[in-house]
């Protein structure tokens, strides 16, 4: 069996590029998780810097949402939810299991790669920050991608795990809608994806949010739950945002509930009247201690 690899090569040997190379190699050497891109090795000489990864045959998420594979619509609704959950689980490992904890700082569609089974692999750790024990946030130089940056980070350089949660919320809306995080309107005005989505949520018009290329083939209860999770992640106040562990539980709970209902027709009919109105808030009050116990097993 032939092993396929991918090689990342620095284009220029600048101080900035060398720093990002060193950070990425250090981070990748520390982490092992099914939803994080695996490091195969690296090479550093006087004039060359290479990082060797596992090859991802389905490229990046951005390729399917906005790039050369967008028209093929290979991401059906179940795959989209699986990718979102996988990316969140990768972040959960960085935030709560890695020692010291790690803030990614550049969560976006191009940094979520997809393996042969469309399993998400969070990649590109050049901007990542190691967080010492007991430290809740740091002030640092702003790095990342416009449209995904949390307000407190973009304006004041205050970085914390909740900044990654915000970025993930934007990514989740992007996965659902296939809309870009920032959209240029006539007159040069820019509108972010949260501004675009909010009026539809207020009207309860969730069907207007989902990617039209799905042609109505999606679960409406899961859609509503996922949108509400994304809006909680993108709250302008970082103290109101959930932890990524809570996000994982909510998304998995929503998908799990629907799968159970689909395999039990009687149960679905009995609960149908209640679930349509309560889905957006179900499970959102799960205690943090309970969530952490589940992740600790």
């Amino acid at each position: 069996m032939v092993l396929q690899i991918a090689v990342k090569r620095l284009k220029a040997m600048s101080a900035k590029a060398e720093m990002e190379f060193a950070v990425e190699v250090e981070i990748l050497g520390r982490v092992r998780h099914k939803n994080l891109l695996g490091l195969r090795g690296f090479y550093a000489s006087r004039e060359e810097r290479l990082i060797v990864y596992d090859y991802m045959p389905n490229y990046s998420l951005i390729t399917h949402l906005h790039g050369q594979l967008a028209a093929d619509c290979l991401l059906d609704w179940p795959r989209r939810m699986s990718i979102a959950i996988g990316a969140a689980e990768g972040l959960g490992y960085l935030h709560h299991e890695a020692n010291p904890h790690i803030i990614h700082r550049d969560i976006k569609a191009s940094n979520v790669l997809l393996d042969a089974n469309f399993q998400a692999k969070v990649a590109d750790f050049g901007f990542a920050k190691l967080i010492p024990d007991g430290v809740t946030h740091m002030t640092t130089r702003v790095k990342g991608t416009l449209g995904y940056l949390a307000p407190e980070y973009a304006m004041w350089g205050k970085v914390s795990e909740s900044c990654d949660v915000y970025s993930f919320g934007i990514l989740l809306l992007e996965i659902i809608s296939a809309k870009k995080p920032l959209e240029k309107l006539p007159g040069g005005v820019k509108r972010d994806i949260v501004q675009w989505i909010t009026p539809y949520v207020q009207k309860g018009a969730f069907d207007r949010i989902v990617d039209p290329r799905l042609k109505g083939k999606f679960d409406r209860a899961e859609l509503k739950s996922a949108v509400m999770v994304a809006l909680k992640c993108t709250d302008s106040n970082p103290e109101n945002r959930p932890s990524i562990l809570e996000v994982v539980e909510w998304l998995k709970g929503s998908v799990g509930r629907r799968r159970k209902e689909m395999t039990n027709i009687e149960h679905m009919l009995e609960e149908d009247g209640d679930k349509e109105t309560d889905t957006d808030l179900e499970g959102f009050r799960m205690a943090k201690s309970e969530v952490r116990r589940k992740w600790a097993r």
Side-chain angles (χ1 to χ4, degrees), residues 169-187:
I170 297 295
L171 177 67
L172 181 54
L173 293 177
E174 189 176 3
I175 290 171
I176 292 167
S177 67
K179 283 275 190 179
K180 292 183 178 180
L182 279 179
E183 181 183 20
K184 288 186 179 180
L185 301 178

Side-chain angles (χ1 to χ4, degrees), residues 33-276:
H33 190 273
K34 63 183 177 66
N35 296 115
L36 301 177
L37 185 62
L39 175 69
R40 286 285 176 177
F42 68 94
Y43 174 79
S45 68
R46 292 181 62 183
E47 299 179 356
E48 194 79 86
R49 298 288 186 275
L50 306 173
I51 303 180
V52 183
Y53 308 98
D54 293 322
Y55 176 69
M56 295 292 111
N58 280 310
Y59 309 102
S60 69
L61 183 54
I62 199 171
T63 306
H64 292 272
L65 294 178
H66 313 299
Q68 62 190 36
L69 296 176
D72 297 338
C73 198
L74 299 176
L75 302 185
D76 58 14
W77 180 257
R79 274 184 178 167
R80 292 184 194 223
M81 288 298 94
S82 176
I83 289 167
I85 290 169
E89 288 187 315
L91 274 179
Y93 174 88
L94 296 177
H95 288 184
H96 299 278
E97 295 187 42
N99 187 22
H101 297 168
I102 299 167
I103 301 174
H104 188 282
R105 288 208 299 167
D106 201 17
I107 296 298
K108 59 182 178 180
S110 60
N111 284 342
V112 177
L113 305 185
L114 304 173
D115 70 9
N117 298 314
F118 286 90
Q119 180 169 259
K121 306 280 187 178
V122 176
D124 200 340
F125 293 85
F127 294 164
K129 278 282 185 185
L130 299 174
I131 305 299
D133 287 342
V135 175
T136 58
H137 69 274
M138 303 172 67
T139 301
T140 184
R141 186 175 179 180
V142 177
K143 292 184 178 182
T145 305
L146 287 176
Y148 294 93
L149 301 180
E152 72 278 7
Y153 179 46
M155 291 187 287
W156 301 298
K158 293 182 178 179
V159 63
S160 65
E161 291 162 353
S162 71
C163 293
D164 278 352
V165 173
Y166 182 96
S167 300
F168 176 80
I170 297 295
L171 177 67
L172 181 54
L173 293 177
E174 189 176 3
I175 290 171
I176 292 167
S177 67
K179 283 275 190 179
K180 292 183 178 180
L182 279 179
E183 181 183 20
K184 288 186 179 180
L185 301 178
V189 178
K190 290 184 178 180
R191 177 177 63 187
D192 66 49
I193 196 169
V194 176
Q195 291 173 319
W196 171 77
I197 211 170
T198 299
Y200 295 124
V201 173
Q202 292 171 340
K203 297 173 185 176
F206 289 88
D207 287 15
R208 300 288 299 276
I209 295 169
V210 74
D211 186 352
R213 290 174 298 183
L214 291 175
K215 298 179 179 179
K217 296 179 180 179
F218 57 89
D219 187 282
R220 282 161 177 77
E222 287 180 14
L223 166 64
K224 189 174 182 181
S225 291
V227 169
M228 299 305 292
V229 169
L231 290 179
K232 290 177 76 69
C233 290
T234 54
D235 194 296
S236 59
N237 184 349
E239 294 182 0
N240 293 338
R241 294 173 206 150
S243 73
I244 199 67
L245 300 189
E246 291 174 295
V247 171
V248 170
E249 291 294 329
W250 295 339
L251 291 177
K252 291 176 76 172
S254 172
V255 172
R257 281 196 306 273
R258 184 53 55 181
R259 286 176 181 170
K260 183 177 179 181
E261 290 169 5
M262 290 177 68
T263 59
N264 189 331
I265 301 298
E266 290 183 2
H267 176 70
M268 181 180 68
L269 292 174
E270 290 172 359
E271 300 295 331
D272 183 63
D274 295 327
K275 282 186 176 290
E276 289 301 312

